[in-house]
Amino acid sequence: MPYFKVAALVAAFAFSRVSNAAGLDDLKQFLTQTKAAKSRFSQTVVGRNGKTTQKASGTFVFQRPGKFRFVYEQPYAQIIVGDGQKLWTWDKDLNQVTVKPVTQALGATPAALLTGDGQLERNFVLKDAGQSDGIAWVEATPKQQDAGFDRVRIGFEGGHLRGMEVRDNFGQTTLIQFSNFEANPALDASEFRFTPPKGADVVGE
């Protein structure tokens, strides 16, 4: 199952007159000015009891609209590729590939907030969520009742993406921190192509 929950993947912050629009302004700037990016990420999953249940890390690149590549390095290898038409997920240990239409897989998902066409109001209700430690947050609530998660918080610092928090319908929270973020780098088209490895079991195509 993809760590980032593509088919599906805390405290209250004080508001001030100065920072009320900071998060939404950063999000709008991100959507209009960042057409592609690459970054490292670390991911922690916290259960509803507050205990950490999973940790992972890897690299992430995207190019709008709908093209992205997650490479999970720890705790085990997994690759998730959106090529603009299909979503490919490869589990190295199982040597199994699942594939589905990328439009069906994205829609009102957390990944759509970063890699979609920028028309977020179609699928999300957006609002500022204040600032903490220099990071301005935006909260996105899906309009679809069957989205699989309650809300997403996206954090920006100086206009750069710094983190995401995804709370699912079971009270589980996925925390993602981005580091070494580079906006609009030169990306090779091969980043967004995926060919199933020899002998892999392909499901869903």
Side-chain angles (χ1 to χ4, degrees), residues 40-114:
R40 289 200 59 81
F41 70 89
S42 60
Q43 182 173 295
T44 302
V45 179
V46 180
R48 63 187 306 168
N49 59 1
K51 294 184 178 180
T52 298
T53 61
Q54 190 180 91
K55 287 189 174 182
S57 61
T59 61
F60 169 52
V61 298
F62 77 82
Q63 185 175 69
R64 291 198 185 95
K67 295 183 179 181
F68 55 89
R69 185 183 191 94
F70 279 94
V71 178
Y72 283 87
E73 301 167 348
Q74 299 292 335
Y76 57 82
Q78 186 180 55
I79 296 176
I80 303 172
V81 176
D83 62 12
Q85 295 184 334
K86 295 180 179 180
L87 176 74
W88 305 83
T89 303
W90 177 51
D91 187 309
K92 182 178 179 180
D93 288 346
L94 298 177
N95 198 20
Q96 183 180 72
V97 176
T98 59
V99 57
K100 62 182 64 178
V102 72
T103 52
Q104 172 188 331
L106 284 178
T109 69
L113 289 162
L114 301 182

Side-chain angles (χ1 to χ4, degrees), residues 24-37:
L24 283 175
D25 287 345
D26 283 343
L27 176 60
K28 291 175 182 177
Q29 178 180 319
F30 176 76
L31 293 176
T32 57
Q33 298 183 11
T34 306
K35 303 303 182 183

Side-chain angles (χ1 to χ4, degrees), residues 153-175:
R153 286 162 42 92
I154 314 170
F156 297 92
E157 183 178 17
H160 296 290
L161 181 68
R162 288 291 180 260
M164 293 185 72
E165 299 178 1
V166 184
R167 181 180 174 87
D168 67 22
N169 294 337
F170 301 100
Q172 180 174 264
T173 301
T174 300
L175 309 172

